[in-house]
Amino acid sequence: MRRYIRALTLCTVFAVLSGLYVYSKLVYSDVPVGPKRVFVPPRVPGVRRGAADRAGPQNTHWYNRYIMRQRGQMEAAGASVQSRPEPPMHLAVVACGERLEETLTMIKSAVLFSIKRLYLHIFAEDQLHASFMEALESWPGFIRSRFNYTVYSISFPSENAAEWKKLFKPCASQRLFLPLILKDVDSIVYVDSDILFLQPVDQLWDFLSQFNSSQLAAMAPEHEEPRIAWYNRFARHPFYGRTGINSGVMLMNMTRMRSTFFKNDMTSVGLRWEELLMPLLQKYKLNITWGDQDLLNIIFHYNPESFLEFPCQWNYRPDHCIYGSNCASAEEDGIYILHGNRGVYHDYKQPAFRAVYEAIKKYAFGTDPTTSLLEPLENELLGTTHTYCGKSHSLFTKRLTHSLANINRKPPHG
C-alpha cells in the first residue's frame, strides 16, 4: 500500500512540475501567431544563421528605434476616436533576390512626393527583412513620420508553393494572393519593385473613388499602339481589350475581390478569387509567357465589367518610347509613374530611365530638391538625346517639377 502511495505522490509531483514548465514556455514564448511578420537579425559574415539568431542584432540602435516606434503606434491606437488621423493609403511591393536597393528607391519616391500618410506592405524573402528595417529606420524623422510599414514573409498556398514562386519571375505572383493575405485591408496599390513615382500616390489612389459599383481593379494597357503590341500578335490565351493590360501598377479593391464570383471558361458558375487561381494556372500554364500578368489578363477578359483602365502615363515603360513616343497621355501631361522593366535602371540601354532612377536614389533627404535632384537630372537627360526615349526627356521631368513641392513639407497631422 505504501508503495502505491509513494508512486502516486511522485506522479503528482512530476505532473505539477511539467505543467509549470509548459506554462512558463507559453508565457515567455516570442513565437508569433498567424502570418509571419518578424524581426530577422542581420547576418554576420562567416556565421551561420542559427548562431546569428542567438547572438541578436549586431546594431541595436535602429532596432531600438523600431521597437520604440511600434510602442508609440500601439499607444496612439488607444487614443480617442476623435484624435485618429485620416486612414492611410496602402502600398504593397514584393522583393526577392537582388531587389533590395531597387525596392527602397521605389519606396523613397512614393514617400517623398505623397501628401497623405502611407502604409507599406513589404513582402520579401526572410534574408532581406533586417536590411529593409535597418534602411527604413535610418531615414530622418520628418520622412519616417510619413509612413508605417510591415515586412512579411513570402507566402503561397502550401500545396503549390514551389510552382507559384517560380512563375515568371521569383515571387512575382505573390500579388495574386494579396486579397487572401491582407484580409483586414480594404484597398491597396500594388507596384513592382522597378516602379518610380514622379507624382503623389494620392492621385493614383483617387481612382478608387472613380470605380463604379462593379469595378474592383485598375491597371494601364500593355500597349497603346496595336501594331507593336505583344498580346494581340503573340498571346496564346485570352487577354483584356485590344492590347492587354500590364500589372506592374495595380489598384485593387480587395474587399470586392474577396466577395465577387468571377466568370471563367472552366465552369458554368462563377468562382471566388481563391477558387479561381489554381485551376486557371493548371489550364493555361503551357500557354502563358508573362506569368501572373497573363492570368490577370485572362480573368478580366471574362470580367471586363470589373475592370477600370487608367492611362499609360501611370505606367510608363520603355515600350512607350523605344520605337518612338506612343503614350498620348504622357505627351500631354508628362509621366506620372516610371516603370523600368527589362532592367533598364541597371544597364545603359535606356539611359533616360537610368538617369531618373539614379537621381532619386542619390537624393539626400532634407536638401534642396531643385538643386540636388531636378537640375542634376535635367543635365543627365540632355546626354540621352541619342536615344528615342531621351528625345522625349522633357516628359520625364514635367510632373516631377510639380511634385518637388511635397518633398520637404511638414508631416501630416497624426
Side-chain angles (χ1 to χ4, degrees), residues 37-312:
R37 311 178 188 185
V38 298
F39 161 69
V40 181
R43 283 188 181 275
V44 180
V47 178
R48 295 177 61 188
R49 168 63 68 184
D53 287 350
R54 288 190 294 271
Q58 300 301 305
N59 179 2
T60 59
H61 175 66
W62 67 265
Y63 182 57
N64 288 338
R65 290 180 61 187
Y66 173 77
I67 293 299
M68 293 301 293
R69 199 180 312 279
Q70 294 298 95
R71 289 177 180 171
Q73 291 167 13
M74 292 174 64
E75 292 170 0
S80 64
V81 174
Q82 290 83 354
S83 65
R84 289 179 182 174
E86 185 178 2
M89 302 176 292
H90 291 267
L91 178 65
V93 66
V94 178
C96 286
E98 304 298 321
R99 297 282 183 166
L100 174 67
E101 182 180 73
E102 185 177 88
T103 306
L104 287 169
T105 305
M106 181 281 293
I107 294 173
K108 186 178 184 180
S109 72
V111 172
L112 280 175
F113 304 132
S114 294
I115 300 169
K116 291 190 292 189
R117 287 176 62 84
L118 286 166
Y119 199 105
L120 307 175
H121 302 267
I122 304 168
F123 290 80
E125 292 175 308
D126 288 355
Q127 64 267 26
L128 298 177
H129 287 200
S131 298
F132 270 113
M133 295 169 70
E134 184 170 8
L136 295 175
E137 293 301 323
S138 71
W139 289 1
F142 81 99
I143 292 292
R144 184 61 189 82
S145 63
R146 300 180 187 181
F147 68 96
N148 292 325
Y149 69 94
T150 300
V151 181
Y152 306 80
S153 291
I154 299 297
S155 175
F156 294 108
S158 56
E159 62 270 20
N160 303 101
E163 188 170 9
W164 283 114
K165 186 170 183 178
K166 295 178 181 178
L167 186 64
F168 186 45
K169 293 181 180 179
C171 308
S173 59
Q174 180 73 81
R175 85 189 84 184
L176 296 177
F177 299 95
L178 295 183
L180 310 179
I181 298 171
L182 304 176
K183 295 182 179 180
D184 295 328
V185 178
D186 175 67
S187 297
I188 203 164
V189 174
Y190 167 86
V191 295
D192 287 346
S193 61
D194 53 7
I195 289 295
L196 290 173
F197 288 92
L198 306 182
Q199 180 88 339
V201 180
D202 309 57
Q203 297 187 18
L204 178 62
W205 190 257
D206 286 344
F207 276 107
L208 286 168
S209 63
Q210 299 180 28
F211 281 8
N212 62 29
S213 59
S214 64
Q215 290 170 332
L216 48 78
M219 286 173 267
E222 173 70 13
H223 281 281
E224 295 289 295
E225 174 52 64
R227 290 175 297 177
I228 60 174
W230 193 91
Y231 279 107
N232 58 295
R233 293 190 298 158
F234 305 116
R236 296 179 294 158
H237 58 79
F239 56 90
Y240 178 84
R242 291 192 310 154
T243 60
I245 48 179
N246 184 282
S247 59
V249 180
M250 183 177 179
L251 187 60
M252 293 180 272
N253 183 317
M254 298 196 296
T255 299
R256 293 183 180 181
M257 293 176 75
R258 287 186 285 262
S259 61
T260 297
F261 288 89
F262 293 87
K263 298 188 294 291
N264 60 88
D265 62 346
M266 297 172 293
T267 67
S268 59
V269 297
L271 297 176
R272 290 190 182 275
W273 190 259
E274 65 269 23
E275 301 168 332
L276 178 64
L277 296 177
M278 196 61 214
L280 207 61
L281 177 62
Q282 294 301 326
K283 178 172 181 176
Y284 286 105
K285 64 182 177 182
L286 298 180
N287 297 88
I288 59 177
T289 303
W290 309 113
D292 55 305
Q293 177 175 291
D294 291 347
L295 297 182
L296 289 167
N297 266 280
I298 297 168
I299 291 171
F300 291 112
H301 170 84
Y302 291 107
N303 300 270
E305 73 285 352
S306 298
F307 184 77
L308 173 69
E309 184 179 294
F310 50 65
C312 54

Side-chain angles (χ1 to χ4, degrees), residues 344-396:
V344 294
Y345 295 151
H346 312 296
D347 60 30
Y348 293 92
K349 294 179 180 178
Q350 296 299 329
F353 282 76
R354 181 184 174 93
V356 179
Y357 175 79
E358 291 292 326
I360 294 176
K361 185 181 75 171
K362 294 176 181 178
Y363 172 72
F365 292 118
T367 59
D368 185 293
T370 301
T371 58
S372 299
L373 198 164
L374 182 61
E375 292 176 358
L377 173 57
E378 289 175 331
N379 290 333
E380 285 293 322
L381 289 172
L382 289 175
T384 69
T385 54
H386 61 286
T387 65
Y388 277 116
C389 292
K391 286 181 171 64
S392 302
H393 64 86
S394 62
L395 305 183
F396 289 77

